Every structure is written in C-alpha cells, then in structure tokens.
Amino acid sequence: MQRHDRWDAGAPDPLLVERRDAAGRLYIAPYEGEAPAEAAVVFDEDGRIRYADERPEDRDVEGILWQRWCGQQTGPLQWSEHYPARQRAVMERPHRCGGCAGEADRDERGVLWLLNADEPTQASLTFPRDILTATPAICRRDANRALAACQVLQAGFVALRVRETELVGVRGILYSHTSAPQPDRFVRFDDDAIHRVLARQLMVALRDAVLDEDTLSMPSHSGRAPVAVPAPVWGWQ
C-alpha cells in the first residue's frame, strides 16, 4: 500500500493523543460538543484561501487548508459525521481502523473495508474494481459492531479486501471569487482548485478491491433496535 503522510512532523499526532476507551464509540465521529469553528476564510493576493487568523496547524505538509473544529468530547456521538483531524489521521498511515484507531484487519487478500451497498448496487458491481471513498478501513471487531448497530449497513453492505490504495484528493468547501462557496466538492491533489478548497475529508482510491464474502456475516440483534447511521460514515464517498 502506498503511504502518504500529510502531517507536519512538528504537529501533535492525533493517534498519540490520550483518548477514551474506544469501546462503544466511533473514533472518526465528532461528539455533540465538537463543531466547526467560526473562522473567517479570505483570499490572499495569489487567489488562494486562508484563514484571517491562520495558525500553523491549519494546513497539512502540502499546504492544503483544513476545516478547523473546536469544542470538547462531550455529549452523544454524531454518528453520520467525520471529525476532520481524526478522519485524516486514520486514513493516512498504513490504514488504521476508523472505529478504534487501532490496526485495521488484514489478511493475504489485503486490508478490510466495509461499505454500505443496497441490493441494486450489489447486483451492479463487478470485482476487482477501483473505488473512491472517504470511509476508513476497519478492524474485524468494529466491523461486527457496525453491522450489529447500523440500519444502513443492515439494508446492504459489501466487505472488501484491498492491497493497494492511493490518497487522491480531499472533499470540502470550494471557494470562488465569482460565485458562492460550493460544499462537498471533491478536488484532486493535482487540480489547481486544491488551493481554494477548505478540506474536511481525505479521499482514498481503493485499487483493484476484491469482494470478501466470508469474513463478516449479519449478526442477530437479540431484540435490540439498531441505530440509523446514514452516510458518509460507511458510504462509497
């Protein structure tokens, strides 16, 4: 797998910061007490965006500006969202589990990915195939937890094994001098627009992903109602 480390060597590593026991939580999800910071985005003289009060930690080593969040890890988890710094942390290294930030499951076929896919989508898929996603890899324990808790995955999922990945860009708010900001835009690293996007997710291309039909199975719920967890946590993108 290709490794692209976009953290500043002098910045704190989010995976090394002390955190709570991962049981019952989702590492990449923000808490109710965490939210995007109110930070003014302006253009510099070269037409690139910056924060009016920019800090060194606001950019990665490639100079891409990242959405700034603030607050405390209090209240319930916002299961359908990604906290930018934590999503970025698990996506960049030899891929970490998005649930616990530990080692993702790996076998001779590659690293495990779990994505939602309804029956029509499953019927249309052929493998191996390339897939673009903001969803991190996952360990087997957290994959089973997700299947037990998530209504979206229970409506249909695919488990994949991937030997090669490539970080290809970011998704975020794209700014323009002539029009309103455009949310949820995917911008590749080699696109000049990368200097006008406020990034919130790293996007990875899963190369030649193959279907894994034997690692995971749908668990019984023992009378417990699963949680409705919409994309993007387990989505294709």
Side-chain angles (χ1 to χ4, degrees), residues 113-226:
W113 252 267
L114 177 64
L115 303 176
N116 63 280
D118 57 21
E119 288 187 8
T121 300
Q122 291 180 37
S124 69
L125 296 175
T126 58
F127 293 93
R129 67 182 301 119
D130 290 352
I131 295 170
L132 182 67
T133 186
T135 300
I138 197 164
C139 70
R140 192 174 304 200
R141 184 196 68 168
D142 285 324
N144 286 317
R145 285 177 53 216
L147 289 174
C150 177
Q151 290 178 357
V152 173
L153 288 173
Q154 290 167 17
F157 73 92
V158 288
L160 306 173
R161 292 288 178 174
V162 185
R163 290 180 176 174
E164 181 181 352
T165 67
E166 181 184 3
L167 294 174
V168 292
V170 299
R171 181 163 56 193
I173 303 171
L174 183 61
Y175 287 81
S176 169
H177 284 288
T178 58
S179 60
Q182 302 174 54
D184 293 323
R185 286 292 301 272
F186 167 53
V187 180
R188 293 185 175 275
F189 293 135
D190 58 2
D191 188 330
D192 288 342
I194 198 70
H195 303 296
R196 294 186 287 108
V197 66
L198 182 61
R200 66 180 178 84
Q201 291 174 313
L202 271 177
M203 301 296 290
V204 64
L206 311 180
R207 303 298 189 195
D208 293 325
V210 297
L211 193 62
D212 178 346
E213 298 183 282
D214 50 46
T215 298
L216 303 174
S217 60
M218 194 65 71
S220 61
H221 307 302
S222 303
R224 294 183 296 112

Side-chain angles (χ1 to χ4, degrees), residues 27-80:
Y27 178 75
I28 58 173
Y31 288 80
E32 186 178 56
E34 297 175 312
E38 294 185 5
V41 176
V42 298
F43 283 94
D44 66 17
E45 59 185 13
D46 296 318
R48 303 181 177 194
I49 61 168
R50 63 178 178 85
Y51 286 126
D53 63 340
E54 191 163 313
R55 309 164 186 170
E57 63 269 22
D58 289 326
R59 293 184 185 271
D60 63 24
V61 295
E62 299 296 331
I64 297 171
L65 189 64
W66 279 82
Q67 193 175 60
R68 185 192 296 171
W69 280 53
C70 61
Q72 302 295 320
Q73 292 185 359
T74 58
L77 284 168
Q78 308 303 298
W79 291 89
S80 65

Side-chain angles (χ1 to χ4, degrees), residues 77-106:
L77 284 168
Q78 308 303 298
W79 291 89
S80 65
E81 300 295 329
H82 289 169
Y83 188 95
R86 296 198 287 269
Q87 187 263 359
R88 181 176 152 203
V90 296
M91 292 284 275
E92 288 188 324
R93 293 160 177 76
H95 294 288
R96 312 288 290 186
C97 172
C100 65
E103 292 186 10
D105 190 73
R106 181 191 299 267

